[in-house]
mmCIF file of all heavy atoms in Angstrom:
data_model
loop_
_atom_site.group_PDB
_atom_site.id
_atom_site.type_symbol
_atom_site.label_atom_id
_atom_site.label_comp_id
_atom_site.label_asym_id
_atom_site.label_seq_id
_atom_site.Cartn_x
_atom_site.Cartn_y
_atom_site.Cartn_z
ATOM 1 N N GLN A 525 169.067 129.635 95.915
ATOM 2 C CA GLN A 525 170.334 129.935 96.643
ATOM 3 C C GLN A 525 170.123 131.045 97.603
ATOM 4 O O GLN A 525 169.413 132.027 97.244
ATOM 5 C CB GLN A 525 171.452 130.247 95.663
ATOM 6 C CG GLN A 525 171.919 129.040 94.857
ATOM 7 C CD GLN A 525 173.060 129.381 93.925
ATOM 8 O OE1 GLN A 525 173.103 130.492 93.389
ATOM 9 N NE2 GLN A 525 173.906 128.409 93.674
ATOM 10 N N ALA A 526 170.697 130.945 98.786
ATOM 11 C CA ALA A 526 170.417 131.910 99.865
ATOM 12 C C ALA A 526 170.552 133.359 99.410
ATOM 13 O O ALA A 526 169.679 134.196 99.705
ATOM 14 C CB ALA A 526 171.295 131.576 101.067
ATOM 15 N N ASP A 527 171.650 133.702 98.759
ATOM 16 C CA ASP A 527 171.876 135.128 98.437
ATOM 17 C C ASP A 527 170.822 135.648 97.498
ATOM 18 O O ASP A 527 170.325 136.744 97.609
ATOM 19 C CB ASP A 527 173.330 135.351 97.913
ATOM 20 C CG ASP A 527 173.655 134.459 96.694
ATOM 21 O OD1 ASP A 527 172.970 133.445 96.476
ATOM 22 O OD2 ASP A 527 174.675 134.763 95.996
ATOM 23 N N LYS A 528 170.408 134.780 96.530
ATOM 24 C CA LYS A 528 169.338 135.165 95.577
ATOM 25 C C LYS A 528 167.997 135.250 96.299
ATOM 26 O O LYS A 528 167.152 136.128 96.019
ATOM 27 C CB LYS A 528 169.234 134.170 94.452
ATOM 28 C CG LYS A 528 170.437 134.211 93.510
ATOM 29 C CD LYS A 528 170.309 135.392 92.533
ATOM 30 C CE LYS A 528 171.587 135.578 91.703
ATOM 31 N NZ LYS A 528 171.839 136.946 91.307
ATOM 32 N N MET A 529 167.741 134.358 97.229
ATOM 33 C CA MET A 529 166.494 134.365 98.016
ATOM 34 C C MET A 529 166.425 135.687 98.785
ATOM 35 O O MET A 529 165.367 136.300 98.836
ATOM 36 C CB MET A 529 166.469 133.245 99.055
ATOM 37 C CG MET A 529 166.247 131.839 98.460
ATOM 38 S SD MET A 529 166.307 130.679 99.845
ATOM 39 C CE MET A 529 165.858 129.180 99.033
ATOM 40 N N VAL A 530 167.573 136.113 99.375
ATOM 41 C CA VAL A 530 167.578 137.362 100.093
ATOM 42 C C VAL A 530 167.233 138.500 99.210
ATOM 43 O O VAL A 530 166.406 139.373 99.512
ATOM 44 C CB VAL A 530 168.943 137.530 100.824
ATOM 45 C CG1 VAL A 530 169.108 138.949 101.343
ATOM 46 C CG2 VAL A 530 169.146 136.519 101.896
ATOM 47 N N GLU A 531 167.849 138.520 98.005
ATOM 48 C CA GLU A 531 167.540 139.599 97.036
ATOM 49 C C GLU A 531 166.084 139.615 96.673
ATOM 50 O O GLU A 531 165.424 140.676 96.672
ATOM 51 C CB GLU A 531 168.340 139.391 95.718
ATOM 52 C CG GLU A 531 169.695 140.082 95.694
ATOM 53 C CD GLU A 531 170.391 139.766 94.353
ATOM 54 O OE1 GLU A 531 169.788 140.014 93.297
ATOM 55 O OE2 GLU A 531 171.544 139.277 94.407
ATOM 56 N N GLU A 532 165.563 138.460 96.310
ATOM 57 C CA GLU A 532 164.120 138.392 95.927
ATOM 58 C C GLU A 532 163.227 138.754 97.072
ATOM 59 O O GLU A 532 162.268 139.476 96.924
ATOM 60 C CB GLU A 532 163.747 136.962 95.452
ATOM 61 C CG GLU A 532 164.346 136.580 94.105
ATOM 62 C CD GLU A 532 163.819 135.208 93.619
ATOM 63 O OE1 GLU A 532 163.051 134.564 94.303
ATOM 64 O OE2 GLU A 532 164.259 134.807 92.514
ATOM 65 N N GLY A 533 163.626 138.285 98.270
ATOM 66 C CA GLY A 533 162.808 138.599 99.467
ATOM 67 C C GLY A 533 162.728 140.108 99.745
ATOM 68 O O GLY A 533 161.646 140.651 99.967
ATOM 69 N N ARG A 534 163.901 140.767 99.616
ATOM 70 C CA ARG A 534 163.882 142.246 99.847
ATOM 71 C C ARG A 534 163.038 142.922 98.797
ATOM 72 O O ARG A 534 162.306 143.907 99.126
ATOM 73 C CB ARG A 534 165.378 142.772 99.729
ATOM 74 C CG ARG A 534 166.186 142.376 100.951
ATOM 75 C CD ARG A 534 167.617 142.950 100.753
ATOM 76 N NE ARG A 534 168.487 142.504 101.844
ATOM 77 C CZ ARG A 534 169.789 142.210 101.656
ATOM 78 N NH1 ARG A 534 170.331 142.242 100.468
ATOM 79 N NH2 ARG A 534 170.538 141.840 102.677
ATOM 80 N N TYR A 535 163.122 142.421 97.591
ATOM 81 C CA TYR A 535 162.316 143.033 96.468
ATOM 82 C C TYR A 535 160.843 142.876 96.745
ATOM 83 O O TYR A 535 160.033 143.826 96.639
ATOM 84 C CB TYR A 535 162.723 142.348 95.153
ATOM 85 C CG TYR A 535 162.024 142.916 93.928
ATOM 86 C CD1 TYR A 535 162.385 144.120 93.405
ATOM 87 C CD2 TYR A 535 161.008 142.157 93.303
ATOM 88 C CE1 TYR A 535 161.729 144.668 92.250
ATOM 89 C CE2 TYR A 535 160.354 142.647 92.190
ATOM 90 C CZ TYR A 535 160.734 143.911 91.690
ATOM 91 O OH TYR A 535 160.086 144.377 90.557
ATOM 92 N N LEU A 536 160.423 141.645 97.134
ATOM 93 C CA LEU A 536 159.011 141.440 97.414
ATOM 94 C C LEU A 536 158.537 142.264 98.604
ATOM 95 O O LEU A 536 157.459 142.806 98.594
ATOM 96 C CB LEU A 536 158.718 139.914 97.698
ATOM 97 C CG LEU A 536 158.912 139.015 96.483
ATOM 98 C CD1 LEU A 536 158.917 137.543 96.941
ATOM 99 C CD2 LEU A 536 157.823 139.211 95.445
ATOM 100 N N ALA A 537 159.416 142.391 99.603
ATOM 101 C CA ALA A 537 159.017 143.145 100.825
ATOM 102 C C ALA A 537 158.835 144.642 100.564
ATOM 103 O O ALA A 537 158.102 145.330 101.301
ATOM 104 C CB ALA A 537 160.094 142.967 101.907
ATOM 105 N N GLU A 538 159.436 145.102 99.483
ATOM 106 C CA GLU A 538 159.248 146.524 99.133
ATOM 107 C C GLU A 538 157.853 146.794 98.606
ATOM 108 O O GLU A 538 157.412 147.982 98.500
ATOM 109 C CB GLU A 538 160.260 146.929 98.009
ATOM 110 C CG GLU A 538 161.567 147.455 98.662
ATOM 111 C CD GLU A 538 162.620 147.771 97.611
ATOM 112 O OE1 GLU A 538 162.222 148.046 96.432
ATOM 113 O OE2 GLU A 538 163.780 147.678 97.953
ATOM 114 N N ILE A 539 157.117 145.766 98.166
ATOM 115 C CA ILE A 539 155.793 146.010 97.597
ATOM 116 C C ILE A 539 154.851 146.606 98.655
ATOM 117 O O ILE A 539 154.080 147.571 98.332
ATOM 118 C CB ILE A 539 155.171 144.675 97.113
ATOM 119 C CG1 ILE A 539 156.010 144.092 96.006
ATOM 120 C CG2 ILE A 539 153.711 144.834 96.648
ATOM 121 C CD1 ILE A 539 155.580 142.651 95.577
ATOM 122 N N ALA A 540 154.920 146.185 99.888
ATOM 123 C CA ALA A 540 154.090 146.776 100.936
ATOM 124 C C ALA A 540 154.597 146.347 102.305
ATOM 125 O O ALA A 540 155.289 145.388 102.424
ATOM 126 C CB ALA A 540 152.594 146.281 100.773
ATOM 127 N N ASP A 541 154.202 147.118 103.336
ATOM 128 C CA ASP A 541 154.703 146.825 104.688
ATOM 129 C C ASP A 541 154.170 145.533 105.215
ATOM 130 O O ASP A 541 154.766 144.914 106.160
ATOM 131 C CB ASP A 541 154.191 147.918 105.673
ATOM 132 C CG ASP A 541 154.981 149.205 105.424
ATOM 133 O OD1 ASP A 541 155.989 149.183 104.744
ATOM 134 O OD2 ASP A 541 154.503 150.250 105.900
ATOM 135 N N ASN A 542 153.002 145.024 104.688
ATOM 136 C CA ASN A 542 152.450 143.767 105.258
ATOM 137 C C ASN A 542 152.855 142.537 104.459
ATOM 138 O O ASN A 542 152.223 141.459 104.652
ATOM 139 C CB ASN A 542 150.897 143.879 105.434
ATOM 140 C CG ASN A 542 150.184 144.252 104.144
ATOM 141 O OD1 ASN A 542 150.752 144.941 103.276
ATOM 142 N ND2 ASN A 542 148.960 143.861 104.015
ATOM 143 N N VAL A 543 153.849 142.589 103.616
ATOM 144 C CA VAL A 543 154.357 141.424 102.917
ATOM 145 C C VAL A 543 155.132 140.541 103.892
ATOM 146 O O VAL A 543 155.995 141.024 104.599
ATOM 147 C CB VAL A 543 155.222 141.776 101.693
ATOM 148 C CG1 VAL A 543 155.963 140.556 101.166
ATOM 149 C CG2 VAL A 543 154.390 142.402 100.570
ATOM 150 N N ALA A 544 154.815 139.266 103.919
ATOM 151 C CA ALA A 544 155.582 138.271 104.638
ATOM 152 C C ALA A 544 156.316 137.478 103.576
ATOM 153 O O ALA A 544 155.710 136.933 102.647
ATOM 154 C CB ALA A 544 154.691 137.353 105.473
ATOM 155 N N ILE A 545 157.683 137.519 103.703
ATOM 156 C CA ILE A 545 158.472 136.800 102.667
ATOM 157 C C ILE A 545 158.401 135.276 102.956
ATOM 158 O O ILE A 545 158.710 134.872 104.081
ATOM 159 C CB ILE A 545 159.957 137.287 102.706
ATOM 160 C CG1 ILE A 545 160.039 138.771 102.554
ATOM 161 C CG2 ILE A 545 160.799 136.585 101.664
ATOM 162 C CD1 ILE A 545 161.374 139.402 102.978
ATOM 163 N N LYS A 546 157.996 134.553 101.946
ATOM 164 C CA LYS A 546 157.871 133.103 102.084
ATOM 165 C C LYS A 546 159.119 132.409 101.556
ATOM 166 O O LYS A 546 159.500 132.644 100.404
ATOM 167 C CB LYS A 546 156.634 132.636 101.341
ATOM 168 C CG LYS A 546 155.887 131.506 102.033
ATOM 169 C CD LYS A 546 154.576 131.280 101.227
ATOM 170 C CE LYS A 546 153.861 130.080 101.779
ATOM 171 N NZ LYS A 546 152.765 129.683 100.865
ATOM 172 N N LEU A 547 159.709 131.600 102.405
ATOM 173 C CA LEU A 547 160.955 130.884 102.049
ATOM 174 C C LEU A 547 160.801 129.412 102.281
ATOM 175 O O LEU A 547 160.210 129.002 103.280
ATOM 176 C CB LEU A 547 162.136 131.378 102.961
ATOM 177 C CG LEU A 547 162.451 132.883 102.965
ATOM 178 C CD1 LEU A 547 163.317 133.224 104.161
ATOM 179 C CD2 LEU A 547 163.177 133.247 101.635
ATOM 180 N N PRO A 548 161.360 128.595 101.366
ATOM 181 C CA PRO A 548 161.200 127.148 101.562
ATOM 182 C C PRO A 548 162.129 126.610 102.648
ATOM 183 O O PRO A 548 163.152 127.186 102.918
ATOM 184 C CB PRO A 548 161.635 126.618 100.164
ATOM 185 C CG PRO A 548 162.594 127.597 99.651
ATOM 186 C CD PRO A 548 162.112 128.979 100.128
ATOM 187 N N LEU A 549 161.726 125.503 103.237
ATOM 188 C CA LEU A 549 162.488 124.959 104.333
ATOM 189 C C LEU A 549 163.670 124.087 103.841
ATOM 190 O O LEU A 549 163.602 122.835 103.899
ATOM 191 C CB LEU A 549 161.615 124.153 105.318
ATOM 192 C CG LEU A 549 162.071 124.346 106.758
ATOM 193 C CD1 LEU A 549 161.039 124.074 107.737
ATOM 194 C CD2 LEU A 549 163.405 123.753 107.050
ATOM 195 N N THR A 550 164.618 124.819 103.261
ATOM 196 C CA THR A 550 165.919 124.161 102.850
ATOM 197 C C THR A 550 167.023 124.803 103.682
ATOM 198 O O THR A 550 166.726 125.816 104.347
ATOM 199 C CB THR A 550 166.180 124.450 101.374
ATOM 200 O OG1 THR A 550 166.200 125.864 101.181
ATOM 201 C CG2 THR A 550 165.062 123.848 100.471
ATOM 202 N N TYR A 551 168.196 124.290 103.564
ATOM 203 C CA TYR A 551 169.301 124.972 104.286
ATOM 204 C C TYR A 551 169.471 126.377 103.852
ATOM 205 O O TYR A 551 169.587 127.315 104.647
ATOM 206 C CB TYR A 551 170.624 124.156 104.099
ATOM 207 C CG TYR A 551 171.747 124.772 104.872
ATOM 208 C CD1 TYR A 551 171.846 124.590 106.236
ATOM 209 C CD2 TYR A 551 172.637 125.623 104.206
ATOM 210 C CE1 TYR A 551 172.831 125.189 106.984
ATOM 211 C CE2 TYR A 551 173.663 126.223 104.971
ATOM 212 C CZ TYR A 551 173.768 126.014 106.339
ATOM 213 O OH TYR A 551 174.741 126.632 107.068
ATOM 214 N N ASP A 552 169.426 126.562 102.514
ATOM 215 C CA ASP A 552 169.529 127.967 101.979
ATOM 216 C C ASP A 552 168.376 128.866 102.454
ATOM 217 O O ASP A 552 168.586 130.012 102.733
ATOM 218 C CB ASP A 552 169.626 127.919 100.446
ATOM 219 C CG ASP A 552 170.992 127.568 99.904
ATOM 220 O OD1 ASP A 552 171.290 126.346 99.966
ATOM 221 O OD2 ASP A 552 171.762 128.442 99.548
ATOM 222 N N GLY A 553 167.191 128.258 102.511
ATOM 223 C CA GLY A 553 166.022 129.000 102.994
ATOM 224 C C GLY A 553 166.244 129.461 104.415
ATOM 225 O O GLY A 553 165.849 130.596 104.796
#
Side-chain angles (χ1 to χ4, degrees):
Q525 288 181 328
D527 54 344
K528 291 279 171 210
M529 287 177 174
V530 168
E531 267 180 53
E532 287 187 1
R534 286 179 185 144
Y535 182 75
L536 292 169
E538 270 176 27
I539 297 173
D541 288 345
N542 54 334
V543 167
I545 304 164
K546 214 173 175 192
L547 301 166
L549 218 160
T550 58
Y551 182 77
D552 281 77

